[in-house]
Amino acid sequence: MTEKIRETGERVTIRTVAEDAGVSTAAVSKVLRNAYGVSDTLRSKVLTSIEKLGYRPSTAARGMRGKTYSIGLLLTEMENAFLPKVVRGAKEVFGAANYQVMIGVGEAQASIEQSLIDSMMDMRMDGVLLVAPRLTGTVLAGYAAKTPLVVIGHHEPSAETFDTVNSDDVAGAREAVCALIASGYRDIHMTSLSQRRFDMPAGEGEVFTMRETGYLAAMQEAGLSDRARIWRLREREGCEGPPLTDLLKVGPRPEAVFCWSDIHALELINLAWSRGVRVPEDLAIVGYDDTPAAGMPIVGLSSVNQQGADLGRQAARAMLSRIEGRTTPEHILLEPALKTRRSSGS
Amino acid sequence: MTEKIRETGERVTIRTVAEDAGVSTAAVSKVLRNAYGVSDTLRSKVLTSIEKLGYRPSTAARGMRGKTYSIGLLLTEMENAFLPKVVRGAKEVFGAANYQVMIGVGEAQASIEQSLIDSMMDMRMDGVLLVAPRLTGTVLAGYAAKTPLVVIGHHEPSAETFDTVNSDDVAGAREAVCALIASGYRDIHMTSLSQRRFDMPAGEGEVFTMRETGYLAAMQEAGLSDRARIWRLREREGCEGPPLTDLLKVGPRPEAVFCWSDIHALELINLAWSRGVRVPEDLAIVGYDDTPAAGMPIVGLSSVNQQGADLGRQAARAMLSRIEGRTTPEHILLEPALKTRRSSGS
DNA sequence: CAAGTTACGTAGAACAGTATACGTAGACTG
DNA sequence: CAGTCTACGTATACTGTTCTACGTAACTTG
């Protein structure tokens, strides 16, 4: 009955290896997971067979009972030039721990994000790492109940079931605005996004909300509250719409603008250039994220660097410890640093 | 014996659904795959149970016998701003066919690329789509024997076992160089990468090789062969090294430079700006890929657009038809188009 | 109305691993 | 020298699907 050594076609499975090495499949499995109870002789026998046959364990099968040694990483969109560093940092740590990272791209839609997270769980990935998701804390908690979850770029310090890793956006914004004030600017406006949810407790929410808080705090500390103004632009609208062009009109034009992201800052700097508005003489600009484009000499955009690689690394470490069994939440905050370039004046 | 309805903990499997709907697991599976042999009554019974229980099929288990409805997409690196469009195009087609796309990032190292492809196959993904891989045709053929394989940005027109989708890099380069010639430039140089393999038949190889061919052809057609010069820069060295700065020295400085990629072109345009070399008056520049940075008004870099989204879409279509069973190879070539901006003169 | 199709469902093997219970040989103890 | 402990391997149940083979009921057809 066990004699049917019929050719299984091509695929070399754990059984092929076991047969070749003259041991049981479980023994092979043990060697693979270097579990307890394997002698050196057995181990080497199995290892040579694996080598000889070019065997690779199937992650799919593995996922049914054990772990898959893979992590799902969800990005909201690929266009944001800030993400590569985060990914690189995370991959560095995960790679060292022998985890593979598979990335899903959410196209900036909550529904796509959700279906991707579901897929990652369906694939039995060992954990899911979210970067700047467009999901509410409730939804996140729902996922956290089913899989180890770590979130980057989403402030939720009271979350009990998942970890968050963030740059201190309040401090970053404050630093940027303080630098503008120190350079002598007084009429400092800010560009931000339109709010999607209004029911957030203080200290929670999306990163741009935190940056607004930092902006307002810095303005207030300098006694400039009455000059503060936040231009809320609809997302994906770009800066072509009336709001941002209005910002450049001579009448109400501020002396300086703090942009919640380089996405806005770069559009603004280009818009200014196109209309002959000199930067920083007529308009100083500070961005956020310190993307590669900001660093191009021809652009020279001052921008807050939030150490993407470190965010990624810390998040990956949190994930690993959570996979190891940690259940107490961790909420990590990293210090950003303003990178000063031409666009913010002297 | 079948009476042990002991609580399985939490997980709702195909069995839970079958029990709830009062049918066999196979019936549920059939509904899921909408296979032949399911009555409307049975279908709706199963569907309501699925809905009620919030059941989701496990991709991992699915991978063991059937397909996983997931595609592995391998990117060489994330930094290249040309990739998002390709990904978006591919996701568009895959998404419509209900496939999930999981992305792996190769960090520009062949060994990492290989381990990612292996992982994707270990996860039993239904196909693997490679973008500008650093792998040889032989290695690619090896993978193609084991899984449906489509490659973007790697010319291998004689490959029998996998498909390729490319922009016509020879034509693109020729168009770029012809445009420069038409604008009156004669001393036109090119930047490229250092060759890694020299044993390629004509018509095969990496994209920059093709672009060199197009450059040389255009120069020859204009009788400028003796003025042609290719500066080969080591990869990842950036443009800080001696070669590229040399290019800007007054003595041998060309009138125009065709860069194999915006990566070089942007560095060059910034380098020129920093040194007071006017673009295009002192030096005209044309890049390749038409990345977002090239389109910024402040940069104004002319660049060859190779329709990334279309590349992605075509590749995804090829993948789907290959998964459906096609075995004859397809080698698709798309027409690029030069986007003219300030940097290439009048 | 018996025989032959056709449609619908089901049981159970298969897939490629993990994890656990259990048997055994050798070392250690009193 | 019998009894216990421990280290090591093995057998086997288990995971969540797909898929093949088969049984049965309803519907045609002669």
Side-chain angles (χ1 to χ4, degrees):
Chain A
M1 207 175 277
T2 49
E3 269 298 56
K4 53 168 181 179
I5 318 188
R6 130 181 59 164
E7 303 213 31
T8 333
E10 306 286 328
R11 178 155 292 159
V12 33
T13 81
I14 199 173
R15 244 170 294 276
T16 326
V17 175
E19 235 163 72
D20 183 90
V23 298
S24 76
T25 60
V28 178
S29 174
K30 276 190 176 180
V31 171
L32 254 40
R33 298 170 287 133
N34 55 324
Y36 172 87
V38 182
S39 66
D40 285 348
T41 18
L42 186 135
R43 158 169 279 106
S44 66
K45 258 199 301 186
V46 169
L47 252 27
T48 40
S49 284
I50 287 179
E51 184 74 19
K52 186 175 82 185
L53 300 169
Y55 164 74
R56 291 186 59 89
S58 148
T59 309
R62 201 170 240 179
M64 300 207 58
R65 272 182 90 71
K67 42 196 302 190
T68 57
Y69 285 94
S70 62
I71 300 289
L73 174 51
L74 181 81
L75 305 180
T76 307
E77 46 169 5
M78 273 200 73
E79 277 78 7
N80 194 329
F82 161 67
L83 298 171
K85 280 192 184 145
V86 179
V87 173
R88 188 174 290 259
K91 282 201 64 173
E92 186 187 312
V93 173
F94 283 131
N98 269 94
Y99 281 80
Q100 283 288 4
V101 176
M102 290 290 158
I103 301 173
V105 180
E107 316 280 5
Q109 285 174 48
S111 61
I112 299 187
E113 289 181 12
Q114 300 212 39
S115 104
L116 275 165
I117 298 174
D118 286 336
S119 286
M120 288 168 176
M121 289 174 22
D122 295 345
M123 291 185 160
R124 296 281 183 276
M125 291 188 169
D126 296 337
V128 178
L129 176 51
L130 272 35
V131 183
R134 285 173 167 48
L135 302 172
T136 66
T138 324
V139 175
L140 294 177
Y143 286 119
K146 296 187 243 164
T147 187
L149 184 72
V150 178
V151 184
I152 294 178
H154 183 98
H155 294 264
E156 202 97 25
S158 59
E160 283 295 333
T161 50
F162 58 91
D163 306 321
T164 63
V165 180
N166 283 286
S167 182
D168 188 338
D169 290 296
V170 179
R174 180 186 269 123
E175 185 180 352
V177 178
C178 285
L180 286 169
I181 293 170
S183 291
Y185 300 102
R186 289 296 171 265
D187 278 321
I188 305 168
H189 291 185
M190 174 180 179
T191 76
S192 182
L193 298 178
S194 55
Q195 211 75 3
R196 278 178 296 249
R197 295 138 56 202
F198 300 90
D199 54 342
M200 306 292 300
E204 302 205 355
E206 319 204 34
V207 293
F208 62 84
T209 318
M210 302 292 110
R211 292 175 195 168
E212 289 181 15
T213 308
Y215 161 74
L216 292 172
M219 292 298 276
Q220 186 176 11
E221 282 160 22
L224 298 170
S225 287
D226 53 329
R227 312 216 192 172
R229 170 159 184 198
I230 297 176
W231 301 69
R232 292 217 174 75
L233 309 173
R234 254 167 301 154
E235 225 173 334
R236 303 235 136 251
E237 171 194 63
C239 289
E240 307 275 48
L244 197 44
T245 47
D246 279 6
L247 200 151
L248 287 172
K249 283 187 184 148
V250 177
R253 188 204 295 159
E255 297 164 5
V257 181
F258 165 59
C259 297
W260 87 279
S261 158
D262 279 2
I263 297 169
H264 282 175
L266 289 169
E267 299 232 36
L268 187 57
I269 216 169
N270 277 294
L271 216 48
W273 184 88
S274 302
R275 305 189 171 213
V277 176
R278 292 167 306 162
V279 175
E281 293 84 353
D282 302 331
L283 183 74
I285 302 176
V286 178
Y288 215 107
D289 286 347
D290 197 15
T291 50
M296 297 200 307
I298 207 168
V299 172
L301 172 66
S302 298
S303 192
V304 179
N305 185 310
Q306 47 174 326
Q307 336 237 71
D310 265 334
L311 287 173
R313 273 191 287 262
Q314 295 278 13
R317 283 196 204 103
M319 177 64 80
L320 290 178
S321 74
R322 200 164 257 283
I323 289 175
E324 304 270 281
R326 174 172 56 77
T327 52
T328 56
E330 265 180 20
H331 298 289
I332 299 167
L333 218 51
L334 300 182
E335 278 314 301
L338 176 66
K339 175 77 185 174
T340 306
R341 299 197 182 87
R342 294 200 324 279
S343 76
S344 60
S346 51
Chain B
M1 209 176 279
T2 48
E3 270 298 61
K4 52 167 182 181
I5 319 187
R6 129 180 63 166
E7 302 211 33
T8 333
E10 306 286 327
R11 178 154 291 157
V12 33
T13 80
I14 199 172
R15 242 172 297 274
T16 326
V17 176
E19 236 162 71
D20 184 90
V23 298
S24 76
T25 60
V28 179
S29 175
K30 275 189 177 179
V31 171
L32 255 39
R33 297 171 288 131
N34 55 322
Y36 171 86
V38 183
S39 65
D40 283 349
T41 19
L42 184 135
R43 157 171 278 105
S44 66
K45 260 198 300 184
V46 169
L47 252 26
T48 40
S49 284
I50 286 179
E51 185 74 20
K52 188 175 79 184
L53 300 169
Y55 164 74
R56 291 187 59 89
S58 148
T59 308
R62 199 168 244 180
M64 301 208 57
R65 271 184 90 69
K67 40 196 304 191
T68 58
Y69 286 95
S70 61
I71 300 288
L73 174 52
L74 181 80
L75 305 181
T76 307
E77 47 168 6
M78 274 200 73
E79 278 78 7
N80 194 330
F82 161 68
L83 298 172
K85 280 193 184 144
V86 178
V87 173
R88 187 174 290 258
K91 281 200 65 171
E92 186 187 315
V93 173
F94 283 130
N98 269 95
Y99 281 81
Q100 284 288 5
V101 177
M102 291 290 157
I103 300 173
V105 180
E107 316 280 3
Q109 286 173 48
S111 61
I112 298 187
E113 289 181 12
Q114 299 211 39
S115 104
L116 275 165
I117 298 174
D118 285 336
S119 286
M120 289 167 175
M121 289 176 20
D122 295 344
M123 291 185 160
R124 296 283 184 273
M125 291 187 166
D126 295 338
V128 178
L129 176 51
L130 271 35
V131 182
R134 284 173 167 48
L135 301 172
T136 65
T138 324
V139 175
L140 295 176
Y143 285 119
K146 296 187 244 165
T147 188
L149 184 73
V150 178
V151 185
I152 295 178
H154 184 98
H155 294 264
E156 203 98 26
S158 59
E160 283 295 332
T161 50
F162 58 91
D163 306 323
T164 63
V165 180
N166 283 287
S167 181
D168 188 337
D169 290 294
V170 178
R174 179 187 269 123
E175 185 180 353
V177 177
C178 286
L180 285 169
I181 292 170
S183 291
Y185 300 101
R186 290 295 171 266
D187 276 323
I188 304 168
H189 292 186
M190 173 179 181
T191 75
S192 181
L193 298 179
S194 56
Q195 209 76 2
R196 278 179 297 251
R197 294 139 55 204
F198 299 91
D199 54 342
M200 306 291 302
E204 302 205 356
E206 319 205 32
V207 293
F208 61 84
T209 318
M210 301 292 111
R211 292 173 196 169
E212 290 181 15
T213 307
Y215 162 73
L216 292 172
M219 291 299 275
Q220 186 176 11
E221 283 159 20
L224 298 171
S225 285
D226 52 330
R227 311 217 192 171
R229 170 156 183 199
I230 297 176
W231 300 69
R232 292 214 173 77
L233 309 173
R234 256 166 299 153
E235 226 173 332
R236 303 235 136 250
E237 172 193 61
C239 290
E240 307 276 46
L244 197 45
T245 48
D246 280 5
L247 201 150
L248 286 172
K249 284 187 184 150
V250 177
R253 188 204 295 158
E255 297 165 5
V257 181
F258 166 59
C259 297
W260 87 278
S261 158
D262 280 2
I263 297 170
H264 282 175
L266 289 169
E267 298 233 35
L268 187 58
I269 216 168
N270 276 294
L271 217 47
W273 184 88
S274 302
R275 309 195 165 206
V277 176
R278 293 167 305 164
V279 175
E281 294 83 353
D282 302 331
L283 184 73
I285 302 176
V286 177
Y288 214 107
D289 284 348
D290 197 15
T291 50
M296 296 201 307
I298 207 170
V299 173
L301 172 66
S302 298
S303 192
V304 179
N305 186 309
Q306 47 174 325
Q307 338 238 68
D310 266 333
L311 287 173
R313 273 191 286 264
Q314 295 279 12
R317 283 196 204 104
M319 176 66 80
L320 290 178
S321 74
R322 200 165 258 283
I323 289 175
E324 304 270 280
R326 175 172 55 77
T327 52
T328 55
E330 264 181 20
H331 298 289
I332 300 167
L333 219 49
L334 300 182
E335 277 315 301
L338 176 66
K339 175 77 185 173
T340 306
R341 299 197 182 88
R342 295 200 323 280
S343 76
S344 58
S346 50

